[in-house]
Amino acid sequence: EVIYRFAERTGGAGYFVPAPFFVDSVDDAEVLRRQRVVKSVLELARKTDLVLIGIGNLKNTPAIYESERRELAALGVVGEILGQFLDRDGRAVHCDMAQRSISLRLEELAGRTVIAIAGGTDKVDAIRATLRSGLLSGLITDETTARAILEQKTPRRAAAKPARGGKRPPT
């Protein structure tokens, strides 16, 4: 609904991935990604000039069950974008659940114009982690959230350290 209203107001076209945000297994995710309708929407997303994303945290992403929230928190996850997870330093947390999301991969965002839309002081840590990831070109948020983000000191992002799970984050 939101996608279609946004597309209508901007004169663009809207598409959605006809699949759950997270599926039950990595095998299920691979099968769904190969389905013609899902594959075609993801291919369109890979060709876009501008990517708009939301930022979630472990408290407000309804597709994540409580037991999964606890597991992700134990891995150091503070933020979620495109069904993939970031630690406090903005590094990707590679885990089973991230592989079960039906969306673009974080590495597919590198070098593209990516604007995040997120607000609320409960998302400050998630927004800061996403900013630290280096994936964003811009952020749209509310004044209260922006002030909360700016009030905390922001250390410079360290050079590409291995992400949790032993893989390097996208550059």
Side-chain angles (χ1 to χ4, degrees):
E1 174 83 20
V2 173
I3 292 168
Y4 289 122
R5 278 196 282 162
F6 185 75
E8 182 180 290
R9 289 187 181 189
T10 61
Y15 303 91
F16 70 96
V17 176
F21 194 46
F22 294 105
V23 294
D24 292 336
S25 71
V26 174
D27 289 339
D28 288 349
E30 290 172 6
V31 168
L32 277 171
R33 284 189 205 107
R34 287 192 305 263
Q35 296 298 310
R36 202 174 346 179
V37 67
V38 173
K39 188 176 184 176
S40 67
V41 173
L42 291 176
E43 285 299 321
L44 285 171
R46 289 180 185 102
K47 295 176 184 177
T48 60
D49 296 324
L50 172 67
V51 180
L52 296 176
I53 63 170
I55 299 173
N57 63 23
L58 294 181
K59 295 176 186 164
N60 67 12
T61 303
I64 302 174
Y65 294 109
E66 189 57 39
S67 60
E68 294 166 328
R69 290 178 208 281
R70 286 190 300 270
E71 289 173 22
L72 292 168
L75 292 173
V77 169
V78 297
E80 172 270 318
I81 55 175
L82 296 174
Q84 290 148 88
F85 305 100
L86 300 173
D87 70 10
R88 191 166 297 286
D89 295 321
R91 293 182 302 233
V93 177
H94 300 283
C95 60
D96 176 76
M97 189 158 185
Q99 295 305 310
R100 295 188 287 121
S101 67
I102 309 298
S103 66
L104 293 179
R105 307 285 89 190
L106 295 180
E107 56 271 10
E108 294 178 292
L109 300 178
R112 301 182 59 196
T113 302
V114 180
I115 308 294
I117 303 170
T121 55
D122 63 321
K123 289 190 179 180
V124 168
D125 288 340
I127 294 168
R128 288 174 59 75
T130 307
L131 289 168
R132 288 177 176 154
S133 76
L135 295 170
L136 297 184
S137 306
L139 170 66
I140 299 170
T141 193
D142 60 273
E143 182 178 354
T144 303
T145 304
R147 287 186 186 280
I149 292 166
L150 293 172
E151 285 173 2
Q152 299 174 0
K153 293 192 185 239
T154 306
R156 283 203 154 303
R157 184 166 180 225
K161 293 179 184 176
R164 295 183 189 268
K167 296 180 182 174
R168 292 203 172 273
T171 56

